[in-house]
Amino acid sequence: MPKDGEGSSSPFVEVEFENQRQKTQVKHRDLNPVWNEKLVFHVNDVADLPYRTIEVNVFNEKKSNNSRNFLGKVRVSGSSIAREGEEVPQLYTLDKRSLFSHVRGELSLKLYLSTKEEVKQVINGGGGGSGGVVSGGGGVVSKKNKKMQQQSGNLVVPKQMGPGLGQENNKMGLGLQNQGHLKPIEPGPGDVKPVVITAVPGPVIPTGGAVGGGHFRGGASNDYALKETSPHLGGLNRNKTSSTYDLVEQMQYLYVRVVKVREISLFGGGDVVAEVKLGNYKGITKRVSLGNAEWDQVFAFSKDCIQSSVVEIFVKENNRDEFLGRVWFDLNEVPKRVPPDSQLAPQWYRMEDKKGDRANCGEVMVSIWFGTQADEAFAEAWHSKAANVHLDGLCSIKSKVYLSPKLWYLRVGVIEAQDIVLGDKAVSMNMVRYPELFAKVQVGNQVLRTRIASPTANRSLSNPYWNEDLMFVVAEPFEDYLLVSIEDRLAPNRDEVVGRVILPIGSIERRFDDRVVVSRWFNLDTHFSSQSDSKAVVRFASRIHLRASLEGGYHVLDEATMYSSDVRPTAKQLWKPHIGVLEVGILGASNLMPMKMKEGKGGTTDSYCVAKYGQKWVRTRTVVDSLAPKWNEQYTWEVFDPCTVISFGLFDNSRVDKNMVAGTANRDTRIGKVRIRLSTLETDRVYTHAYPLLMLHPSGVKKMGELHLAVRFSCANMFNVLHMYTMPLLPKMHYVQPLSVSQLDGLRYQAMNVVSLRLSRAEPPLGREVVEYMLDHDSHMWSMRKSKANFIRLTNILGWFVGMSRLLETLRTWNKPVYSTLFLTAFTILALVPELIIPCVLLTMAALGLWRYRSRPRHPPHMDTRLSYAENVHPDELDEEFDSFPTSRSAEIVRMRYDRLRSVAGRIQTVVGDMATQGERFQALLSWRDPRATFLFVIVCLLAAFGFYLVPIRWVVALGGLYYLRPPKFRNKMPSSAVSFFKRLPTNADGML
């Protein structure tokens, strides 16, 4: 942007990294400068580089008073640094320094890490160890500079990074270098030449995964922690407790709605299009014929991208560059609109030609206004930041709300069949055999089979009996059919259908409780006469006895049980009123990892966020080519149970660009996930935090960025919320007629398939990979890491009991006589006055709870790498976790893992055996397996019963406690008689092979 008052600028770039500041030369009176300079910075700790930023500021030098004007700035994350030789030019838009800054232009830079000797000499010699040389390039250049050679060099990178590296290798340089060969992304008055920040590597940060990978830290890191943020939310600034968009930051947009055109004449006979142009951004409508020249399309230009004072609308013939007419608007005259104001009515405007003549150019109907993301046109509008998205991908970048289908359990009871006549294949075998009849039930792609019916004394082989219940998952509307077939197993993998019946699912009875369903007989259709003849042979005698019902009293589990977001039954008649409202503002993300490579843009990410709670799925719009996207979209859910979880997933959109360097995959890539349990949130409090997006890769745990959310859980009646804590978690039918664990696992997999199939039919579709990730489809898979993590969780729980036993042992050994004396006195009082025991215990627990109120958690829980045992996990265990099922690894690796599993399972087997041994010893007290031991125990019980009858229980407890807490000098170091007697009892281990 010109800043010298004469239509030009004399720019230079100043780069700051870790208190090291350097600048380039000044390019006098040049709005498209090219520096081609390299700046080298000393890096103290390479492992910490991804958590640092590089500040790049562009200034205009004023010779008159030796001052400078601000031209723009760029902040680059250290995580985008690549190895030398792999650096990719990055084009950055110059950002404002404050709200009142006026900047324009783009800066092209590249970053790389280097350990070359000449770089070390610059750092150690010329730079004094802390400085260096930075190369910067500039915004727009002339054609004569297009052939400038880029600087490059050889790089030797060590294979591993660790404490064994020498001190010399840890010294690294960070450099900036211009790339003169890049083409402009948005053409301006000249050719755009990116300025590239380059960085120079020694010990390389392990990346892995997609392009750029993520951050890998061997130990605990504060960067994995939850961070509280302070966004400028709309509701907080207006001192309102609730409004439509009070949990997001307002984003200003210029909206242009182009409706239709009239009274124009074409040069040829083609279609007409309208083109909306604002600075370097240009949006084009769909093509329509002149007879029906109506577009009714809305274009949204972000206010941050506005670099012109006027917006122009051109009407063109399909294949011609010349326009038929145009109309333009001064942005200073555009009105503002804030919902709930009604929409601005479009008006007819007379167009003009190139000479400004309005005589024969026709009219176009347009409306234009400034608004925010709360505008009704926001969701369906064309956005300026998606200008490079191809037409086929425009649909996939819009924000949408999806609803999961209403799922039902279908229970089919196959009771029996009568007068089954064997098929032609069985008869043609000419051998004496017993028919092996079973029933196969199919709903869509779900298939279940009963057992093979066995003959009984009162039933013949032609009247098989099963009486088995089979469960399926179906969704409304019921489009599938229930197919029940009776089949005869002739040989392994060879079955013959001897009869079948087809029933529409919509005609099946629905029940909402545990009442008995009336069974019915159905005639079997037996039209399989021979292998080559398809004539129908009707046998009216064959029929089957079925009991089928649609179960509305269950909740169909499609999520992992521990992360359920909804526990209501299927039948809406059984729903209770909602108890609260959950409001979520999906603000944005920061420091995302590049997930793909694009020509001319390098590593980038096209990210969108998906949130799932109950039946409602929301998907934000896709922010294209941004590692710090901002969505600022707000959504609301009704809450029926506070003990539920809302899940957020971040994904990279693979349908945006057809010309990606890395290929065009149809599956969207996972970036990370966040879960928030509603019961951990305080009522009516707005939580604004940056949640770390942690992903487990074969190379370790990586931080893929941060997701910024604003969450508020509000309720009108606190009594209703507290009452929910006394209610069963699942509906009544789960307890009256419970389903087995294996049934629930199979039904959950089928439910996930039904949901993913239904959501993939939406427009735009929500991919199966997204549904699987949000529903945690792989949570049941074996993982050595998860096993260790769960074992650590168990030991943490048992640690409380261990701590109490250690405390008791400390009091018992009288290492602290004062505490032991106080404890002994309190014990004696409670033993002699037992009425005080329960009140004292309850009072102590209440006092402890009140005391801990000060140290209560202030933030919602988040993904914990230490709890997940993800920081110190062995690389081979990670590789095993990411292995396919069945395995795809070599036999040697599988053998090694099997031996390791045997070793771990052997230790678990020993622990389980020891626990069983102790239990069997208790059983042996009265089993007379050891007659002498049982005799002694019976005699002792008789004597003890007589003694407890004579002596009051309080004295027995008091004397027993005093004996147990006696000072050490009155004790014998040998085990007591009772312990010795117990350890001598026999167990069933003697009978094991």
Side-chain angles (χ1 to χ4, degrees):
M1 177 174 285
K3 283 294 180 77
D4 61 355
E6 299 177 359
S8 185
S9 291
S10 299
F12 67 92
V13 178
E14 184 177 84
V15 185
E16 183 176 357
F17 174 74
E18 289 190 336
N19 299 322
Q20 307 171 48
R21 182 179 300 174
Q22 304 194 38
K23 64 181 182 179
T24 65
Q25 297 178 354
V26 179
K27 297 295 181 179
H28 297 284
R29 298 185 62 80
D30 190 354
L31 294 180
N32 307 307
V34 178
W35 292 280
N36 198 31
E37 298 181 24
K38 179 184 296 181
L39 307 180
V40 180
F41 295 86
H42 173 66
V43 180
N44 294 318
D45 186 4
V46 180
D48 205 40
L49 183 59
Y51 312 101
R52 297 291 180 262
T53 57
I54 300 100
E55 295 277 354
V56 184
N57 292 278
V58 185
F59 297 100
N60 167 56
E61 184 185 56
K62 298 173 65 176
K63 290 185 177 181
S64 58
N65 53 3
N66 197 21
S67 61
R68 58 188 185 181
N69 300 111
F70 178 74
L71 294 178
K73 71 173 184 177
V74 170
R75 294 189 66 183
V76 184
S77 173
S79 59
S80 61
I81 298 175
R83 306 179 184 181
E84 187 174 15
E86 300 179 1
E87 63 270 21
V88 179
Q90 297 278 358
L91 188 64
Y92 300 91
T93 301
L94 294 176
D95 295 331
K96 299 179 180 180
R97 180 169 54 185
S98 65
L99 181 64
F100 304 101
S101 299
H102 296 281
V103 300
R104 185 180 65 202
E106 294 169 327
L107 191 64
S108 179
L109 310 160
K110 72 178 179 182
L111 288 155
Y112 62 91
L113 291 168
S114 174
T115 54
K116 295 192 302 185
E117 293 300 326
E118 55 267 27
V119 175
K120 296 177 185 178
Q121 292 175 3
V122 170
I123 295 176
N124 297 330
S130 61
V133 191
V134 176
S135 78
V140 182
V141 300
S142 60
K143 294 183 179 179
K144 66 180 181 181
N145 293 319
K146 284 189 177 181
K147 297 183 180 180
M148 299 179 63
Q149 300 291 330
Q150 67 175 12
Q151 301 179 3
S152 62
N154 298 326
L155 170 66
V156 179
V157 181
K159 294 183 178 179
Q160 290 184 337
M161 179 179 69
L165 292 172
Q167 182 67 25
E168 184 179 3
N169 287 338
N170 285 328
K171 292 183 179 179
M172 305 184 54
L174 170 65
L176 283 157
Q177 180 182 353
N178 171 266
Q179 294 295 310
H181 66 286
L182 289 180
K183 297 289 184 180
I185 292 181
E186 294 290 344
D191 293 329
V192 180
K193 184 168 186 182
V195 180
V196 193
I197 293 193
T198 343
V200 198
V204 177
I205 303 169
T207 54
V211 179
H215 307 193
F216 175 74
R217 306 296 294 267
S221 171
N222 291 331
D223 205 48
Y224 292 162
L226 192 69
K227 301 175 183 176
E228 189 166 5
T229 58
S230 300
H232 300 285
L233 303 183
L236 301 183
N237 291 344
R238 294 194 300 267
N239 295 322
K240 293 175 64 178
T241 57
S242 65
S243 65
T244 306
Y245 285 85
D246 64 327
L247 291 184
V248 293
E249 297 179 318
Q250 285 193 354
M251 302 174 66
Q252 299 294 327
Y253 287 89
L254 171 66
Y255 290 97
V256 179
R257 182 183 179 189
V258 184
V259 183
K260 53 186 175 181
V261 69
R262 67 184 181 186
E263 299 178 6
I264 61 172
S265 58
L266 303 181
F267 299 107
D271 298 332
V272 292
V273 297
E275 177 184 298
V276 181
K277 184 178 181 182
L278 179 64
N280 290 332
Y281 294 96
K282 179 172 62 176
I284 302 177
T285 65
K286 59 187 176 182
R287 301 173 182 176
V288 296
S289 62
L290 183 59
N292 186 24
E294 183 171 347
W295 301 287
D296 197 15
Q297 287 185 239
V298 180
F299 299 83
F301 298 88
S302 175
K303 197 171 184 180
D304 297 336
C305 303
I306 295 179
Q307 300 177 357
S308 175
S309 60
V310 296
V311 57
E312 300 174 283
I313 302 173
F314 301 90
V315 176
K316 297 183 178 181
E317 194 172 355
N318 185 14
N319 298 321
R320 294 177 178 269
D321 295 332
E322 298 181 0
F323 59 86
L324 302 174
R326 77 157 189 166
V327 62
W328 60 272
F329 299 90
D330 188 346
L331 297 186
N332 294 323
E333 304 298 328
V334 173
K336 294 183 179 180
R337 173 183 177 257
V338 179
D341 292 348
S342 300
Q343 295 187 8
L344 196 65
Q347 301 181 33
W348 287 105
Y349 293 90
R350 176 66 62 179
M351 296 187 293
E352 63 182 19
D353 57 13
K354 293 183 178 180
K355 299 179 181 179
D357 187 7
R358 301 176 182 267
N360 300 312
C361 292
E363 294 179 324
V364 62
M365 180 179 283
V366 175
S367 61
I368 180 171
W369 71 94
F370 278 109
T372 65
Q373 74 269 33
D375 201 289
E376 294 88 345
F378 177 80
E380 298 296 331
W382 173 95
H383 288 268
S384 57
K385 291 189 176 181
N388 296 325
V389 179
H390 62 90
L391 295 178
D392 296 336
L394 282 176
C395 181
S396 68
I397 67 174
K398 296 180 180 179
S399 57
K400 293 291 181 181
V401 175
Y402 303 83
L403 290 178
S404 293
K406 191 176 183 180
L407 301 179
W408 292 72
Y409 282 147
L410 172 61
R411 187 191 298 269
V412 180
V414 184
I415 303 174
E416 59 181 332
Q418 285 185 352
D419 302 327
I420 297 297
V421 180
L422 299 183
D424 298 331
K425 294 181 182 179
V427 175
S428 64
M429 296 178 67
N430 294 325
M431 58 181 295
V432 179
R433 58 179 291 273
Y434 290 102
E436 299 180 0
L437 299 176
F438 64 92
K440 184 177 76 173
V441 184
Q442 181 174 357
V443 178
N445 59 355
Q446 308 173 51
V447 179
L448 294 177
R449 295 175 174 84
T450 65
R451 69 182 188 279
I452 295 177
S454 58
T456 59
N458 56 351
R459 284 187 176 271
S460 63
L461 295 175
S462 61
N463 298 327
Y465 182 80
W466 299 283
N467 196 23
E468 292 187 29
D469 282 353
L470 306 178
M471 299 288 290
F472 301 88
V473 176
V474 294
E476 290 186 0
F478 302 119
E479 301 172 349
D480 294 326
Y481 288 85
L482 172 65
L483 172 62
V484 183
S485 59
I486 307 299
E487 300 187 10
D488 183 14
R489 178 154 298 171
L490 306 178
N493 299 324
R494 185 183 178 191
D495 304 326
E496 181 184 17
V497 179
V498 297
R500 71 178 185 183
V501 62
I502 300 177
L503 302 174
I505 295 179
S507 64
I508 296 177
E509 179 183 0
R510 307 183 186 189
R511 72 167 185 171
F512 307 138
D513 50 23
D514 58 338
R515 63 183 176 83
V516 178
V517 178
V518 179
S519 59
R520 296 175 56 191
W521 287 92
F522 297 92
N523 292 329
L524 291 174
D525 181 14
T526 56
H527 59 277
F528 304 96
S529 58
S530 65
Q531 298 180 1
S532 59
D533 191 5
S534 60
K535 295 181 180 179
V537 179
V538 180
R539 296 166 179 151
F540 295 97
S542 299
R543 59 180 187 166
I544 188 171
H545 194 190
L546 299 178
R547 180 178 56 245
S549 62
L550 289 167
E551 302 288 344
Y554 290 92
H555 170 70
V556 181
L557 293 167
D558 57 345
E559 306 166 287
T561 309
M562 63 192 75
Y563 309 132
S564 292
S565 62
D566 188 12
V567 290
R568 290 174 296 170
T570 300
K572 198 169 184 179
Q573 296 90 327
L574 302 179
W575 290 5
K576 297 180 179 179
H578 68 277
I579 60 170
V581 174
L582 174 65
E583 299 166 279
V584 175
I586 305 177
L587 305 181
S590 60
N591 301 322
L592 294 183
M593 292 295 102
M595 303 302 294
K596 60 168 73 83
M597 299 292 294
K598 291 186 179 181
E599 294 181 356
K601 300 177 183 178
T604 184
T605 299
D606 306 318
S607 57
Y608 65 90
C609 181
V610 174
K612 198 267 182 188
Y613 185 78
Q615 291 184 316
K616 182 178 176 181
W617 300 63
V618 300
R619 168 179 175 163
T620 66
R621 70 188 187 280
T622 300
V623 178
V624 182
D625 298 335
S626 176
L627 299 180
K630 289 186 177 181
W631 297 291
N632 284 302
E633 299 182 19
Q634 184 169 338
Y635 299 95
T636 304
W637 287 268
E638 290 183 343
V639 178
F640 294 85
D641 195 309
C643 301
T644 47
V645 176
I646 182 172
S647 300
F648 302 87
L650 208 62
F651 301 88
D652 175 68
N653 196 329
S654 64
R655 300 169 177 84
V656 170
D657 191 356
K658 287 186 176 180
N659 301 316
M660 289 187 299
V661 177
T664 57
N666 291 325
R667 294 176 61 88
D668 294 345
T669 307
R670 306 172 180 177
I671 299 179
K673 182 189 293 183
V674 172
R675 300 190 193 97
I676 300 177
R677 184 170 292 275
L678 270 59
S679 59
T680 62
L681 304 178
E682 298 179 13
T683 306
D684 294 327
R685 175 185 169 185
V686 178
Y687 291 84
T688 55
H689 291 88
Y691 295 81
L693 296 170
L694 304 178
M695 281 288 289
L696 199 63
H697 293 272
S699 57
V701 63
K702 302 175 189 291
K703 182 178 179 182
M704 309 300 292
E706 294 176 340
L707 179 62
H708 297 256
L709 300 174
V711 181
R712 177 174 58 206
F713 171 52
S714 56
C715 62
N717 191 333
M718 181 58 68
F719 176 78
N720 293 335
V721 178
L722 298 178
H723 177 66
M724 290 302 301
Y725 282 86
T726 64
M727 303 297 292
L729 183 63
L730 295 174
K732 176 182 176 182
M733 285 294 293
H734 284 271
Y735 306 99
V736 177
Q737 291 186 359
L739 303 175
S740 64
V741 176
S742 59
Q743 270 186 311
L744 288 175
D745 288 341
L747 292 172
R748 177 174 169 250
Y749 178 76
Q750 296 298 341
M752 186 202 67
N753 288 335
V754 173
V755 172
S756 62
L757 181 62
R758 216 37 100 75
L759 294 183
S760 64
R761 294 165 58 182
E763 186 61 32
L766 201 61
R768 181 181 179 88
E769 67 279 6
V770 176
V771 176
E772 289 180 348
Y773 186 53
M774 296 297 293
L775 296 182
D776 296 283
H777 78 290
D778 56 352
S779 60
H780 66 285
M781 295 298 292
W782 156 259
S783 168
M784 182 70 75
R785 175 191 60 83
K786 290 182 182 179
S787 300
K788 291 182 178 180
N790 288 330
F791 179 77
I792 293 175
R793 290 171 57 197
L794 181 60
T795 55
N796 290 337
I797 295 298
L798 298 178
W800 186 85
F801 298 97
V802 174
M804 293 298 296
S805 63
R806 289 177 179 175
L807 176 61
L808 187 60
E809 186 66 22
T810 301
L811 298 173
R812 182 170 175 261
T813 55
W814 290 76
N815 293 331
K816 298 180 179 179
V818 177
Y819 292 101
S820 298
T821 304
L822 292 176
F823 179 76
L824 185 61
T825 304
F827 172 80
T828 305
I829 295 174
L830 293 177
L832 296 178
V833 190
E835 300 85 11
L836 298 178
I837 294 178
I838 296 179
C840 287
V841 171
L842 297 178
L843 186 61
T844 302
M845 296 178 65
L848 184 61
L850 294 175
W851 177 261
R852 290 186 175 180
Y853 178 78
R854 300 184 307 167
S855 58
R856 68 189 185 280
R858 302 288 183 172
H859 310 299
H862 66 288
M863 302 293 186
D864 193 337
T865 56
R866 187 184 300 275
L867 179 65
S868 305
Y869 199 74
E871 296 178 347
N872 302 317
V873 62
H874 193 275
D876 183 71
E877 295 177 1
L878 283 175
D879 183 72
E880 180 183 17
E881 184 171 347
F882 283 93
D883 190 9
S884 60
F885 186 85
T887 182
S888 59
R889 300 297 186 264
S890 62
E892 292 77 11
I893 296 179
V894 175
R895 182 187 299 274
M896 182 271 294
R897 291 175 180 172
Y898 176 66
D899 292 339
R900 180 180 62 197
L901 184 59
R902 289 177 63 191
S903 175
V904 174
R907 293 194 291 270
I908 298 175
Q909 170 185 292
T910 302
V911 174
V912 173
D914 292 340
M915 296 172 64
T917 296
Q918 306 305 323
E920 290 170 351
R921 283 175 176 163
F922 277 104
Q923 293 179 348
L925 290 171
L926 298 173
S927 66
W928 292 93
R929 289 193 58 192
D930 186 342
R932 286 167 293 277
T934 303
F935 174 76
L936 288 175
F937 181 72
V938 170
I939 296 300
V940 170
C941 288
L942 290 174
L943 296 177
F946 184 71
F948 278 103
Y949 177 76
L950 296 179
V951 181
I953 185 64
R954 66 182 66 181
W955 293 105
V956 174
V957 175
L959 293 175
L962 292 174
Y963 177 78
Y964 179 78
L965 297 173
R966 67 191 187 277
K969 64 179 180 179
F970 298 110
R971 288 198 200 119
N972 189 359
K973 294 184 178 180
M974 300 299 293
S976 64
S977 299
V979 174
S980 300
F981 174 78
F982 183 77
K983 289 186 176 180
R984 291 176 179 273
L985 294 173
T987 67
N988 292 336
D990 304 335
M992 293 185 64
L993 293 176

